[in-house]
Amino acid sequence: GGFQSELWKMDGRSQDPETLGFLAAALGSHMVLQRAPLAATVWGFTAPGATVTSTIAPARPEECEAVPALASGGACATRTLTCKAGADGAWRQALPPVAASTVAFSLTFASSNSSAERAELHNVLFGDVYLCSGQSNMEFAMPAEANASAEIAAADAYPHIRIFSVGHRTSSATPLRDLQTVWEPWQVASRATIAKDFTPHSHLFATFSAVCWHFGKSLSDRLPAPRR
């Protein structure tokens, strides 16, 4: 029928138009990057062959020095790293492995291509990153659950949990190199952020998934606390 023929036409299209920023849309202030022993990677897009210079440093060096796992690993000093963008303009920088803690880090990025291509990330933690995916059940949000007021208020005790929601209604017949929509940017967990609606139009409940929140909260309660 006509619907199938339209899909066939979509399959034959070239790369859909996409928005690519100097810093990937999945990154942001308040985020969590994967902890040591893995080396977290940050990335983005600039001119092919351009050099991107990145720095990483603790926001408060004295707090960092008080955490043996960070001080012994050299994480408390400002470190500068460089990489070159590939022929497609994508740049990727592997960061030195950083142990999990509640110590916040700041990162800066600058491209040799243009003085306008600069970015900063603040209040970044290193820990474990989990992805939640699903359909209607995963979209069930905190304001709609039983005992919602108490459960939402309890989020204030978990500022080390950070949350992020990918946008909806993004589709493409060909792979996209970056997120084209972000529903909820990186946030520090609190009674406001886990129950707020970040969409430009009204939504049924709120932005962040209640299932995903309880999953993260349960892990936080059961796993060893990150070293301060």
Side-chain angles (χ1 to χ4, degrees):
F3 180 66
Q4 289 181 329
S5 64
E6 287 300 312
L7 287 177
W8 180 261
K9 290 178 183 178
M10 288 177 65
D11 289 341
R13 286 189 304 178
S14 59
Q15 175 70 50
D16 285 359
E18 58 182 343
T19 299
L20 299 175
F22 175 54
L23 202 60
L27 308 178
S29 291
H30 313 300
M31 75 177 302
V32 172
L33 289 170
Q34 186 61 40
R35 63 180 174 88
L38 298 180
T41 296
V42 289
W43 74 101
F45 303 89
T46 183
T51 297
V52 175
T53 301
S54 306
T55 68
I56 177 171
R60 296 182 176 85
E62 66 280 5
E63 290 184 3
C64 185
E65 293 289 351
V67 180
L70 295 178
S72 62
C76 300
T78 299
R79 289 180 280 188
T80 301
L81 310 153
T82 59
C83 66
K84 279 200 171 185
D88 61 353
W91 61 269
R92 296 175 179 83
Q93 179 64 67
L95 301 175
V98 178
S101 77
T102 56
V103 173
F105 284 80
S106 297
L107 295 89
T108 67
F109 311 94
S111 172
S112 62
N113 177 58
S114 168
S115 60
E117 290 187 329
R118 296 179 180 274
E120 297 181 358
L121 299 179
H122 299 287
N123 192 22
V124 173
L125 299 184
F126 284 84
D128 288 319
V129 180
Y130 295 89
L131 301 181
C132 301
S133 178
Q135 297 184 25
S136 57
N137 286 346
M138 188 61 70
E139 197 161 331
F140 187 88
M142 294 297 293
E145 73 166 47
N147 200 25
S149 297
E151 291 289 352
I152 290 171
D156 286 344
Y158 296 85
H160 54 286
I161 296 180
R162 309 299 170 85
I163 59 179
F164 175 88
S165 297
V166 175
H168 288 192
R169 301 182 182 89
T170 294
S171 62
S172 173
T174 52
L176 297 171
R177 291 172 288 175
D178 196 11
L179 299 177
Q180 297 302 292
T181 54
V182 172
W183 202 5
E184 179 177 9
W186 282 100
Q187 305 283 333
V188 176
S190 72
R191 71 179 69 202
T193 58
I194 69 165
K196 182 177 178 180
D197 186 357
F198 286 85
T199 58
H201 307 292
S202 62
H203 185 255
L204 183 58
F205 299 130
T207 297
F208 199 71
S209 165
V211 175
C212 196
W213 167 251
H214 285 295
F215 170 72
K217 180 173 175 283
S218 177
L219 285 175
S220 179
D221 289 339
R222 287 166 170 75
L223 296 176
R227 296 179 180 177
R228 297 299 187 262

